[in-house]
Amino acid sequence: MELDNAQETPSQEDSSLCGEISPPVLEQAFSKILHCFTGPEARRGNARDVALKDLGDLIEATECVRLFEGSGAQLRGMLETLGKVAKALEQYAAPPKEEEGGGARHSEVAEKAATVGLLFLKLLGKAETAKNSLVGPAWQTGLHHLAGPVCIFAVTHSLEQPWTTPRSREVAREVLTLLLQVTECGSVAGFLRGEKEDEKGRLSVILGLLKPNLNKESWKNNPAIKHVFSWTLQQVTRPWLSQYLERVLPASLLISDDYQTENKILGVHCLHHIVLNVPAADLLQYNRAQVLYHAIFNHLYTPEHHLVQAVLLCLLDLFPILEKTVHWKGDGARPTTHCDEVLQLILTHMEPEHRLLLRRTYARNLPAFVKRLGILTVRHLKRLERVIIGYLEVYDGPEEEARLKILETLKLLMQHTWPRVSCRLVVLLKALLKLICDVARDPSLTPQCVKSSLLQEATDCLILLDCCSQGRVKGLLAKIPQSCEDSNVVNCIRKVQQISEGAPYDGT
């Protein structure tokens, strides 16, 4: 078969003979199709559509052995061209920049993805057939060039995103399933890291393909890139991730440093995954942990509760790593830690905060900080007392999440700092009694189970307070059952009084 100049694509008649053509001629045919996607004529309206049809015909008409036969430079050249075609197809189906009318073109992108996905299924089907034939190891070389672009395509279109439809997601998931089958991998994680100890995974190849689109100037040109990077990163865990740290950390920091809250949250999730799955020694090297801390800490000044939640969870896992370098010799005051710094900022934000979602977010994470600092929480005791009393006074909606978490915080605070609690007896006792009375008489739609939880937690706090004050709470509450008519309040008081002096209590 004779092929015309590189400006043309193979005709259907030529394609029907592809089962008989030699690898050099087949490589030329793929090169012409590649030129239709990357050359000047790619801008013409139907040039790529025609190339897609011709490529499908070419793949169908070519025997699997023809795609993977040959040796040396001849075979490598053909397989490299095939890999470039796969990369061009992946880029052809990629969603456009948002400012280029991305929303209006999402349906068009989904159609392209479905078409490209079917082509990838055909290519992978040929590789699966070749794997079981007498072609030898050539199919593995072919997969080396195909796997990266095919995986990026599958991840881009299998996740639920604005540019996908049920049909395009279904095709993309079929592509990913077949890719794992052909590569003999039991999971995506195995595909990326390698199924065996001595086997090299494909993560390095995929990161190499993503790298040109993950720099400061270009990472927003394709809105799918950040999701592909994040999803891929989170499939690889300890101990495999550490060898890729230099390649994944800059991109994660870049995404987290964006002005859009959505991107900040995505970047913080990536950084959190790195913190959890990279050894502390690697994070401490070259001051990486400090860089992480300062990049994440700055997000605490934003009023977005989803972002604050992601940041606090990440910081709580980063503290043990940062504090590995802090050593107390016992000859003076313990040095303040990063946990102290973050808790101080949180308490500063909590006192005047009136937005319920942020109040709940702060309260949800406060117990973990008290657990982390332990007895050192006494450094923040005055401000914690003000925050606890202030939050106990405010109704928090039907679920009462903030007040329940504040009560949990108070219990932990009394457990860890009990020598300092007795001098705050009157203030804390008044706040707890007021809460019990408010909840008992609450006419709102708060579920009874939530009210019961609040009353039980408040009662536990009273019992702890009594233990910390050597039984003084019992004496102060002695006359309340005689004058109070509310059965719920009386029941709580009696539970406190029933704890005999000296009896062990599991909360202390």
Side-chain angles (χ1 to χ4, degrees), residues 287-439:
N287 221 26
R288 294 187 185 108
Q290 287 289 348
V291 172
L292 274 168
Y293 172 73
H294 290 295
I296 299 171
F297 180 83
N298 290 333
H299 292 317
L300 289 175
Y301 291 95
T302 61
E304 301 291 340
H305 68 281
H306 288 306
L307 176 59
V308 172
Q309 175 67 22
V311 168
L312 292 178
L313 291 177
C314 183
L315 286 172
L316 285 166
D317 286 318
L318 184 60
F319 291 148
I321 297 172
L322 291 166
E323 292 168 14
K324 279 184 176 294
T325 58
V326 179
H327 301 286
W328 181 51
K329 298 180 180 179
D331 55 354
R334 293 190 185 185
T336 57
T337 63
H338 296 87
C339 188
D340 285 299
E341 183 180 15
V342 174
L343 180 57
Q344 183 178 358
L345 180 63
I346 290 174
L347 295 175
T348 301
H349 289 168
M350 287 183 76
E351 281 194 72
E353 187 56 62
H354 63 278
R355 287 162 288 198
L356 285 178
L357 292 176
L358 266 176
R359 288 169 66 91
R360 290 169 188 161
T361 301
Y362 290 133
R364 187 183 306 129
N365 293 279
L366 201 54
F369 280 86
V370 176
K371 287 180 184 177
R372 178 73 197 162
L373 287 173
I375 185 61
L376 297 181
T377 313
V378 295
R379 294 169 173 169
H380 312 275
L381 203 51
K382 289 183 179 179
R383 184 167 285 180
L384 270 168
E385 178 188 316
R386 294 198 301 268
V387 167
I388 288 170
I389 294 173
Y391 274 58
L392 290 180
E393 291 177 349
V394 179
Y395 172 71
D396 185 48
E399 301 302 321
E400 292 280 21
E401 181 183 0
R403 289 210 280 196
L404 284 169
K405 285 298 180 180
I406 288 297
L407 287 170
E408 181 184 345
T409 302
L410 178 57
K411 288 170 65 176
L412 289 167
L413 190 64
M414 288 190 287
Q415 291 171 14
H416 289 294
T417 65
W418 59 268
R420 299 287 188 91
V421 172
S422 58
C423 62
R424 293 172 168 79
L425 170 63
V426 175
V427 175
L428 294 175
L429 181 58
K430 285 182 179 179
L432 290 169
L433 287 176
K434 184 178 185 302
L435 172 66
I436 290 173
C437 292
D438 288 345
V439 173

Side-chain angles (χ1 to χ4, degrees), residues 69-346:
E69 74 175 358
S71 60
Q74 184 183 87
L75 177 63
R76 287 197 301 271
M78 202 277 289
L79 295 179
E80 286 176 5
T81 302
L82 190 58
K84 291 177 182 177
V85 171
K87 184 177 180 181
L89 290 174
E90 180 269 315
Q91 293 174 346
Y92 168 74
K97 293 173 65 174
E98 294 179 5
E99 54 266 32
E100 293 180 354
R105 297 176 59 187
H106 286 161
S107 59
E108 179 184 343
V109 172
E111 291 177 7
K112 290 180 178 179
T115 303
V116 170
L118 293 175
L119 289 175
F120 280 146
L121 288 174
K122 292 179 181 179
L123 270 175
L124 292 173
K126 295 287 184 180
E128 176 71 6
T129 305
K131 182 177 71 173
N132 300 319
S133 69
L134 300 177
V135 176
W139 67 272
Q140 295 179 335
T141 307
L143 277 180
H144 174 76
H145 296 288
L146 287 174
V150 172
C151 183
I152 291 174
F153 164 84
V155 176
T156 299
H157 299 282
S158 62
L159 305 176
E160 190 164 346
Q161 297 292 346
W163 56 83
T164 65
T165 61
R167 171 59 179 160
S168 65
R169 289 194 292 271
E170 180 186 1
V171 173
R173 288 165 186 164
E174 289 178 6
V175 170
L176 185 58
T177 300
L178 185 54
L179 177 62
L180 296 180
Q181 177 183 327
V182 175
T183 54
E184 299 179 339
C185 294
S187 64
V188 175
F191 170 82
L192 294 170
R193 70 180 186 231
E195 289 281 324
K196 303 175 183 178
E197 291 185 5
D198 57 345
E199 181 183 355
K200 189 175 181 182
R202 280 87 174 179
L203 181 59
S204 181
V205 173
I206 292 174
L207 291 176
L209 291 171
L210 294 177
K211 184 177 180 179
N213 297 313
L214 274 176
N215 57 61
K216 190 174 182 179
E217 291 74 27
S218 65
W219 76 278
K220 287 195 173 183
N221 290 341
N222 179 351
I225 287 295
K226 59 188 179 186
H227 298 291
V228 174
F229 171 78
S230 173
W231 187 89
T232 304
L233 168 66
Q234 295 186 52
Q235 305 304 309
V236 183
T237 56
R238 185 186 295 261
W240 298 277
L241 188 59
S242 58
Q243 59 185 305
Y244 303 100
L245 180 59
E246 287 294 334
R247 304 180 69 178
V248 299
L249 182 57
S252 301
L253 289 169
L254 175 66
I255 297 172
S256 72
D257 194 38
D258 192 52
Y259 68 94
Q260 291 180 308
T261 302
E262 173 196 350
N263 293 334
K264 289 179 181 178
I265 295 173
L266 188 66
V268 170
H269 285 319
C270 292
L271 294 173
H272 193 183
H273 183 78
I274 291 172
V275 169
L276 291 173
N277 291 280
V278 172
D282 291 338
L283 291 176
L284 291 171
Q285 193 176 26
Y286 306 121
N287 221 26
R288 294 187 185 108
Q290 287 289 348
V291 172
L292 274 168
Y293 172 73
H294 290 295
I296 299 171
F297 180 83
N298 290 333
H299 292 317
L300 289 175
Y301 291 95
T302 61
E304 301 291 340
H305 68 281
H306 288 306
L307 176 59
V308 172
Q309 175 67 22
V311 168
L312 292 178
L313 291 177
C314 183
L315 286 172
L316 285 166
D317 286 318
L318 184 60
F319 291 148
I321 297 172
L322 291 166
E323 292 168 14
K324 279 184 176 294
T325 58
V326 179
H327 301 286
W328 181 51
K329 298 180 180 179
D331 55 354
R334 293 190 185 185
T336 57
T337 63
H338 296 87
C339 188
D340 285 299
E341 183 180 15
V342 174
L343 180 57
Q344 183 178 358
L345 180 63
I346 290 174

